[in-house]
């Protein structure tokens, strides 16, 4: 098609708003604008929550045909279709085909944005400026991933799709009222996903509060680089840019110690198969890796945190973050949930690399602070990139 005309149906109604199309201007030899590259984020209805709230699904595509789907419940990374070393596409993250799946007890925070405080808070309690706050305990004696009912993975976010510099994305916003799940302050959270032409999913987090409050946002995607539903991740090889980790007690709360990884099964400074030493870890519920690693980069600048190689598919996941820590969780609590397309997510068949501050930081004065104060902005970037080798 050689045309300078915009198609009639260019302005489409998306999610209750007008979508702005992206035009890649391609000027060919004849000097006219040829084959305009029309890229638009696809928006569809994904279903309705049990509370009657409609959930949108957003489909992002890049120039290599990589497809990412996001859903507004939990600002969730729901699908990521990427080629293997032979060019075959697989969806490499866990998820469900419908809202009911995400609302079910089988959902171990698949792909969700976890918060307001991802990871654990010991005893479901903390103090800020002398005032004590009590939260719901949803993980034995502790609070996990922001609480019981209206943690950030369970609420429906407002999504706004965009196209910028040829890349597609969705900006999600959720305003958590003062006191929600027991946390102080009205917290305005933004999570922006961008699919880049380097096959990266870039996640930019941003938040502001009107009262001092703890915050620790992360993404809880489970990856299996052979394709979600493949039997194991114990054959994946992992490298972590971490000389130290935070040992935990029998309820997975850090002891406060920052321990060297050298000479332990936590030493991933060079690639090791996840399965090689996982069974040496028997001291905590679930056993296996479920630990925070203290990243070598503590500058707040984007730096490599982890790499995962899958010898079978040739896919390699690289994780970059501005955060000081990453939680490695290897699916110890998975028990065979039925996910997308009827695939089964068995014990240790998915792994999470959750970039974040350290668990229970709000009660651990020696850990980097998670307190956000009015007038300050919380910011965090995490980039997941999948390539082949
Ligand atoms: C992880 C956490 C695990 C488990 C999981 C959800 O982030 O480290 O212990 O709770 O979430 O099943």
């Amino acid at each position: 098609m050689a045309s300078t005309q915009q198609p009639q149906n260019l302005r489409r109604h998306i999610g209750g708003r007008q979508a702005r199309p992206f035009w890649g201007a391609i000027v060919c030899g004849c000097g006219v604008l040829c084959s305009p590259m029309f890229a638009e984020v696809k928006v569809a209805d994904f279903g309705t929550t049990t509370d009657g709230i409609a959930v949108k699904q957003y489909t992002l595509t890049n120039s290599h045909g990589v497809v990412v789907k996001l859903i507004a419940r939990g600002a969730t990374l729901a699908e990521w279709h990427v080629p293997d070393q032979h060019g075959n596409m697989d969806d490499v993250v866990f998820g469900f085909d419908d809202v009911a799946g995400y609302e079910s007890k089988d959902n171990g925070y698949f792909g969700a944005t976890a918060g307001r405080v991802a990871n654990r808070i010991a005893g479901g309690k903390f103090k800020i400026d002398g005032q004590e706050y009590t939260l719901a305990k949803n993980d034995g004696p502790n609070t996990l991933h922001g609480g019981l009912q209206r943690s950030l993975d369970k609420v429906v976010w407002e999504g706004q799709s965009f196209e910028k510099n040829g890349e597609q994305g969705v900006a999600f916003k959720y305003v958590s009222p003062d006191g929600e799940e027991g946390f102080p302050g009205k917290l305005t959270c933004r999570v922006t996903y961008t699919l880049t032409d380097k096959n990266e999913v870039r996640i930019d987090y941003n938040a502001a509060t009107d009262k001092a409050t703890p915050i620790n946002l992360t993404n809880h995607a489970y990856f299996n680089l052979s394709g979600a539903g493949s039997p194991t991740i114990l054959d994946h090889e992992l490298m972590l840019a971490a000389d130290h980790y935070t040992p935990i007690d029998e309820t997975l709360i850090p002891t406060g110690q920052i321990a060297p990884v050298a000479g332990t099964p936590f030493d991933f400074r060079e690639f090791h198969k996840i399965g090689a030493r996982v069974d040496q870890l028997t001291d905590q519920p679930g056993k296996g890796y479920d630990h925070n690693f203290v990243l070598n980069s503590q500058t707040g600048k984007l730096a490599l945190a982890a790499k995962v190689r899958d010898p079978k598919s040739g896919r390699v996941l690289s994780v970059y973050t501005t955060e000081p820590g990453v939680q490695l969780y290897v699916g110890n609590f998975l028990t065979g949930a039925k996910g997308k397309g009827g695939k089964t997510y068995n014990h240790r068949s998915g792994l999470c690399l959750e970039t974040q501050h350290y668990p229970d930081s709000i009660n651990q004065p020696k850990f980097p602070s998670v307190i956000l104060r009015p007038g300050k902005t919380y910011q965090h970037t995490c980039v997941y990139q999948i390539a082949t080798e």
Side-chain angles (χ1 to χ4, degrees), residues 238-252:
L238 172 68
M239 188 281 293
L240 291 170
D243 295 347
H244 294 86
Y245 76 109
T246 51
I248 49 178
D249 70 12
E250 62 289 348
T251 70
L252 295 110

Side-chain angles (χ1 to χ4, degrees), residues 12-334:
R12 297 192 194 153
H13 201 245
I14 289 185
R17 292 160 201 263
Q18 292 289 325
R20 268 194 57 229
F22 164 71
W23 282 81
I26 300 173
V27 180
C28 76
C30 63
V32 298
L33 188 68
C34 287
S35 302
M37 235 168 65
F38 179 67
E40 190 179 75
V41 178
K42 284 201 204 88
V43 186
D45 292 327
F46 187 66
T48 308
T49 66
T50 43
D51 296 339
I53 303 171
V55 177
K56 293 278 180 214
Q57 180 196 56
Y58 302 84
T59 303
L60 316 180
T61 311
N62 76 6
S63 63
H64 308 294
V66 167
V67 173
V68 162
K69 294 192 186 180
L70 308 165
I71 62 164
R73 182 186 187 270
T76 294
L77 172 59
E79 297 183 29
W80 188 351
H81 302 259
V82 266
D84 68 7
Q85 60 201 344
H86 306 298
N88 301 317
M89 302 295 269
D90 283 300
D91 180 2
V92 296
V93 295
F94 287 15
F96 295 98
D97 286 325
D98 51 27
V99 177
Y102 283 99
E103 288 186 332
S104 73
K105 63 168 182 23
D106 280 347
N107 183 8
Y109 302 86
F110 295 172
T113 299
R116 294 182 180 197
V117 177
N119 218 309
R120 291 179 170 80
I121 295 181
K125 275 189 187 157
F126 62 90
K127 271 190 189 163
I128 294 185
D129 301 335
Q131 170 139 10
E132 185 163 89
Y133 297 90
T134 306
L135 312 169
K137 294 174 189 164
N138 59 340
D139 187 66
N142 305 318
T143 302
L144 176 69
H145 296 325
L148 206 48
Q149 277 163 342
R150 293 196 56 82
S151 48
L152 297 184
D153 58 290
K154 295 181 186 68
V155 296
V156 178
W157 297 55
E158 188 192 319
Q160 175 67 66
S161 61
F162 62 85
E163 293 93 23
K164 200 171 152 193
N165 307 325
E167 294 173 340
Q168 300 189 332
V170 177
F172 288 105
K173 181 181 171 190
Y174 176 69
V175 181
S176 175
D178 186 8
E180 192 165 54
E181 283 296 330
F183 291 102
K186 173 177 151 193
L187 188 74
T188 304
C189 306
R190 291 189 163 82
V191 177
T192 302
Y193 288 87
T194 309
L195 172 63
T196 77
D197 268 341
K198 291 189 266 171
N199 294 354
E200 297 161 333
V201 171
R202 178 186 171 103
I203 312 173
D204 292 298
Y205 301 86
N206 171 294
T209 184
D210 63 1
K211 284 185 192 158
T213 196
I215 182 166
N216 189 33
L217 305 184
T218 194
N219 181 276
H220 210 291
Y222 289 68
F223 293 92
N224 186 314
L225 296 178
S226 291
S230 301
T232 189
I233 46 81
L234 297 179
D235 56 356
H236 287 31
E237 298 161 357
L238 172 68
M239 188 281 293
L240 291 170
D243 295 347
H244 294 86
Y245 76 109
T246 51
I248 49 178
D249 70 12
E250 62 289 348
T251 70
L252 295 110
I253 294 291
T255 59
Q257 203 191 346
I258 306 263
V261 295
T264 76
F266 301 100
D267 190 349
F268 285 100
R269 291 174 296 173
E270 289 178 2
F271 280 98
H272 287 275
K273 272 202 194 318
I274 292 173
R277 298 165 298 176
V278 70
D279 289 329
Q280 295 178 31
L281 308 175
T282 55
D283 288 350
Q284 92 280 345
K287 308 183 171 126
Y289 296 106
D290 195 353
H291 294 76
N292 168 66
F293 287 76
V294 175
L295 293 170
N296 293 339
S297 171
Q298 295 281 318
T299 59
K301 301 238 166 71
L302 199 64
L304 182 71
K307 267 192 177 216
V308 185
R309 296 198 294 227
D310 171 28
K312 280 208 296 294
S313 65
R315 293 190 182 94
V316 182
L317 168 71
S318 302
V319 183
Y320 300 84
T321 187
T322 55
E323 286 290 280
V326 66
Q327 179 85 8
L328 168 65
Y329 170 61
V330 298
N332 306 316
F333 297 116
L334 293 170

